[in-house]
C-alpha cells in the first residue's frame, strides 16, 4: 500500500493471485489476456448490471429545470473533470450546433473537478458557448434522477470504458443516449445508444441534432434502452458471481481455512 514503506506489487501480480477475473465484455476479456497475460480459462464474463436505483421507478421531487434555468431538451453529461472524459470535443460539437444548425441546448455538467474544469471553462469561452453550460457540482441521487428524466439526451463521450454506469442509468430512466464508439461499446449497448466517434465534433453534433430533433429516433432509443436496462440487473450479476464461487468450491476445499491468508 502507498505510504506503508513496502513496495506495492504490480497489478499483474495481483491479477495472478485471483482465482478468477470478472469483466463485462469480450473486449475486456481480450484486453486482460493481452495486457496482463491472464489465461482465458480464468476470465469470466458478467455484463455490468443496471444500477438498482434507476430501475425502481422513483418519481423525483427535485425540479432542477427551474433551479438552474434550464431550457427544455438540455444535454446531460455526468462525469468528473478528467481530460479523458473528453469535454472539449463535446464543446466543439455544441459550437457546430450553434453556428451551423441554430441549436443552442443547455449542457449540464455534473461532477467534481479533477484538475480539468478550468480548461473546460476556458474552451467554452473561446468557442462562445459559455452561456449554454451549467456546472452543478455534486448532486443528490434524487436530483440526478430528475436530471435524467428531464434531459433531451445523455451524452457520454469518455475515451475509455465501456463499463460506465451513466448510459445504463439513462436507459432505465427513459433518457436517450449518445455515447462514444469505443472498443466494447457496440457489445455493451447494441442499438440502444447512438454511437459516435469520440474525437469528431462533427459526428457528435450530427448525432445530437438527430436525437434532439427526430421524435422517432428518440422513441426508438428509449424503448430499446429500457429493454437493455432490465435485461441485466444486480440480481443477475449476483447469481453469476455465486455460480463462479460454486465452480471454485471443489478447488478451495483442498486447502485448510487457516491457509487463506498465506501466499
Amino acid at each position: 500500500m502507498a505510504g506503508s514503506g513496502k513496495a506495492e506489487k504490480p497489478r499483474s501480480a495481483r491479477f495472478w493471485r485471483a482465482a478468477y477475473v470478472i469483466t463485462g465484455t469480450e473486449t475486456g476479456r481480450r484486453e486482460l489476456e493481452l495486457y496482463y497475460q491472464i489465461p482465458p480459462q480464468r476470465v469470466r464474463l458478467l455484463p455490468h448490471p443496471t444500477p438498482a436505483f434507476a430501475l425502481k421507478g422513483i418519481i423525483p421531487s427535485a425540479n432542477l429545470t427551474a433551479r438552474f434555468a434550464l431550457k427544455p431538451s438540455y444535454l446531460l453529461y455526468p462525469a468528473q473533470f478528467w481530460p479523458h472524459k473528453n469535454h472539449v470535443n463535446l464543446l466543439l460539437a455544441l459550437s457546430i450546433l450553434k453556428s451551423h444548425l441554430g441549436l443552442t441546448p443547455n449542457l449540464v455538467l455534473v461532477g467534481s473537478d479533477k484538475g480539468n474544469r478550468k480548461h473546460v471553462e476556458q474552451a467554452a469561452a473561446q468557442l462562445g458557448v459559455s452561456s449554454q453550460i451549467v456546472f452543478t457540482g455534486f448532486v443528490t441521487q434524487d436530483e440526478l434522477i430528475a436530471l435524467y428524466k428531464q434531459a433531451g439526451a445523455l451524452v457520454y463521450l469518455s475515451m475509455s470504458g465501456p463499463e460506465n454506469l451513466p448510459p445504463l442509468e439513462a436507459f432505465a430512466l427513459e433518457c436517450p443516449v449518445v455515447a462514444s464508439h469505443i472498443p466494447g461499446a457496440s457489445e455493451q449497448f447494441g442499438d440502444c445508444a447512438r454511437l459516435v466517434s469520440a474525437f469528431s465534433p462533427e459526428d457528435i453534433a450530427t448525432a445530437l441534432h438527430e436525437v434532439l430533433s427526430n421524435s422517432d429516433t428518440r422513441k426508438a432509443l428509449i424503448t430499446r434502452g429500457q429493454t437493455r436496462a432490465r435485461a441485466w440487473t444486480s440480481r443477475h450479476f449476483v447469481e453469476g458471481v455465486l455460480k463462479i464461487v460454486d465452480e471454485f468450491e471443489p478447488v478451495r476445499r483442498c486447502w485448510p481455512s487457516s491457509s487463506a491468508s498465506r501466499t
Side-chain angles (χ1 to χ4, degrees):
M1 294 179 63
S4 66
K6 298 180 180 179
E8 186 175 357
K9 291 185 177 181
R11 185 179 298 179
S12 57
R14 282 176 271 159
F15 273 129
W16 271 103
R17 288 169 60 96
Y20 298 105
V21 179
I22 296 173
T23 185
T25 61
E26 286 291 347
T27 297
R29 181 201 297 271
R30 291 193 297 270
E31 290 177 349
L32 284 168
E33 293 173 11
L34 174 64
Y35 296 122
Y36 297 105
Q37 293 81 53
I38 305 299
Q41 65 271 20
R42 290 175 58 187
V43 181
R44 292 293 182 273
L45 188 66
L46 287 179
H48 207 297
T50 303
F53 80 87
L55 290 168
K56 291 181 178 179
I58 299 172
I59 299 176
S61 59
N63 184 2
L64 301 189
T65 55
R67 176 171 153 191
F68 292 112
L70 298 173
K71 295 186 293 186
S73 297
Y74 61 82
L75 304 172
L76 173 65
Y77 189 10
Q80 299 189 99
F81 288 91
W82 299 102
H84 74 272
K85 291 303 182 180
N86 200 23
H87 290 88
V88 174
N89 277 306
L90 176 53
L91 297 179
L92 286 164
L94 276 189
S95 178
I96 293 172
L97 285 176
K98 181 178 181 179
S99 60
H100 297 334
L101 298 169
L103 293 179
T104 57
N106 285 130
L107 171 61
V108 179
L109 299 178
V110 177
S112 58
D113 185 12
K114 297 299 181 179
N116 213 46
R117 174 169 166 169
K118 183 177 180 180
H119 178 58
V120 172
E121 292 175 336
Q122 291 172 340
Q126 291 170 359
L127 292 167
V129 296
S130 294
S131 62
Q132 296 173 234
I133 313 302
V134 176
F135 297 92
T136 67
F138 175 82
V139 297
T140 65
Q141 189 176 99
D142 184 64
E143 290 170 333
L144 182 61
I145 292 171
L147 286 170
Y148 277 123
K149 285 284 192 181
Q150 299 162 6
L154 170 79
V155 190
Y156 208 84
L157 299 179
S158 179
M159 301 178 193
S160 61
E163 294 296 308
N164 296 306
L165 294 177
L168 302 181
E169 295 167 352
F171 289 159
L173 293 167
E174 302 180 348
C175 179
V177 175
V178 175
S180 303
H181 200 337
I182 53 179
S186 294
E187 183 181 350
Q188 186 183 27
F189 303 144
D191 60 357
C192 303
R194 178 68 161 79
L195 299 180
V196 299
S197 171
F199 307 112
S200 171
E202 295 79 12
D203 193 24
I204 298 167
T206 297
L208 292 176
H209 179 258
E210 179 184 358
V211 172
L212 293 177
S213 305
N214 190 317
S215 60
D216 290 338
T217 297
R218 288 180 54 78
K219 290 177 182 177
L221 289 174
I222 289 171
T223 299
R224 293 195 292 260
Q226 287 187 297
T227 300
R228 165 61 182 87
R230 288 167 173 73
W232 197 261
T233 66
S234 298
R235 178 177 179 179
H236 295 117
F237 189 84
V238 170
E239 289 174 349
V241 171
L242 291 177
K243 287 181 181 178
I244 294 172
V245 172
D246 289 342
E247 180 182 344
F248 184 66
E249 198 278 331
V251 178
R252 179 63 186 86
R253 69 166 68 114
C254 295
W255 277 264
S257 299
S258 59
S259 68
S261 61
R262 301 175 188 172
T263 56

